[in-house]
Amino acid sequence: MFVYPSGVNVSSSALRFLAGRLREHRNTLGTRWRRLNAGRQALLAFAHLRNGQPCAQLAAGFGIGTTTAYRYIAEAVELLAALAPTLAETVRAASMKAYLILDGTLLPIDRIAADRPFYSGKHRKHGMNVQVIADPKGRLLWASPALAGAVHDVRAAREHGVIDALARAGINCWADKGYQGAGGTVRLPYRGRWDSPSAGQQAVNRSHAKVRALVEQAIATLKSWRLLRKLRCSTTRITRLVQAVLTLHLASST
């Protein structure tokens, strides 16, 4: 295997954050020596998450075995996932904001036609449903655990307790038509199912769409980590990967 120099476009503050957490973890375990120091292990995890490179390629570049690379990455992901904010913490921190924006996104996975629970009819592909909350400026605040792609957005929001949490906090939330019937403080556009919307309703829908469109920035932020654009791992690991990416994003934006 040929090895060549490469780069990772990530924030240095996020890299220092992860390296610091890894050093603390090693001190807790009483680790005396490893093939990579904490800084290099953090860089290894970043290269995997940001560029989506497989462990075999990264192992060759870092001069370690494939199994060691996998173990180092899994350790970093577990540490980061444990630090991700919960829904309750996110809602509490956002209680003074005028409103929040809720939307769902599909993370594609490598599944075959027989895996129907993971098939999204809306997107016409297999994937995992992740709910995203953004602030009024479109900044990513929270990402939910991953559910099978066949789960609709409103059902996913209910299962994660998003609607109830926002209602208890009294925070208005803008969402699209996929959350029809959500209730609580969720604000939806008018639907023209039987009768065409009036001029006033169309104006409200246009205003609603302008506000809700900002959540696409938060989703793009999540998917700027290339590993999440096409996941080729066990579906049981995807939630931890999403939470790890969320933690790194928040660490780099503070």
Side-chain angles (χ1 to χ4, degrees):
M1 184 178 293
F2 293 103
V3 178
Y4 61 92
S6 184
V8 184
N9 59 333
V10 294
S11 167
S12 58
S13 61
L15 183 62
R16 290 193 298 269
F17 171 82
L18 177 54
R21 302 293 82 74
L22 288 169
R23 290 189 191 96
E24 293 174 0
H25 181 64
R26 291 184 181 192
N27 290 336
T28 301
L29 295 177
T31 303
R32 308 179 91 181
W33 179 85
R34 289 196 183 186
R35 293 292 302 274
L36 298 180
N37 60 34
R40 294 284 288 172
Q41 183 181 355
L43 185 60
L44 173 70
F46 264 101
H48 179 66
L49 294 171
R50 190 68 171 184
N51 294 340
Q53 290 179 297
C55 291
Q57 294 180 3
L58 291 171
F62 281 81
I64 56 178
T66 302
T67 303
T68 303
Y70 180 87
R71 188 174 67 251
Y72 281 3
I73 291 170
E75 181 181 47
V77 167
E78 290 291 340
L79 283 175
L80 291 169
L83 297 172
T86 64
L87 176 61
E89 292 170 343
T90 301
V91 171
R92 193 181 310 117
S95 60
M96 299 304 295
K97 296 186 182 295
Y99 59 87
L100 296 176
I101 313 172
L102 173 66
D103 200 1
T105 186
L106 188 79
L107 302 181
I109 59 176
D110 58 343
R111 287 296 183 272
I112 60 176
D115 296 317
R116 299 302 297 176
F118 299 100
Y119 185 79
S120 169
K122 175 182 176 181
H123 299 276
R124 298 184 179 180
K125 63 177 68 173
H126 293 81
M128 300 294 286
N129 181 301
V130 172
Q131 298 295 298
V132 171
I133 293 179
D135 70 4
K137 294 185 178 180
R139 291 175 296 205
L140 177 64
L141 299 180
W142 180 78
S144 74
L147 296 176
V151 177
H152 294 287
D153 284 339
V154 66
R155 177 185 162 192
R158 286 187 177 128
E159 287 195 21
H160 297 310
V162 176
I163 298 170
D164 290 340
L166 293 173
R168 286 193 298 269
I171 302 176
N172 288 326
C173 175
W174 264 243
D176 63 20
K177 295 178 182 179
Y179 295 87
Q180 197 70 29
T185 56
V186 178
R187 300 291 178 259
L188 304 173
Y190 288 103
R191 296 188 67 181
R193 193 170 181 179
W194 294 282
D195 301 319
S196 59
S198 65
Q201 290 174 335
Q202 291 178 17
V204 170
N205 282 358
R206 286 193 295 271
S207 177
H208 187 282
K210 289 179 181 178
V211 172
R212 191 179 51 78
L214 292 172
V215 76
E216 297 300 330
Q217 297 179 19
I219 293 174
T221 296
L222 194 65
K223 292 187 176 180
S224 66
W225 299 78
R226 294 176 188 169
L227 183 70
L228 300 183
R229 296 180 190 176
K230 183 67 172 181
L231 289 153
R232 295 177 173 83
C233 61
S234 169
T235 54
T236 59
R237 294 186 58 224
I238 294 176
T239 291
R240 291 192 293 275
L241 291 171
V242 171
Q243 299 299 317
V245 166
L246 174 63
T247 299
L248 288 174
H249 166 70
L250 295 176
S252 64
S253 59
T254 53

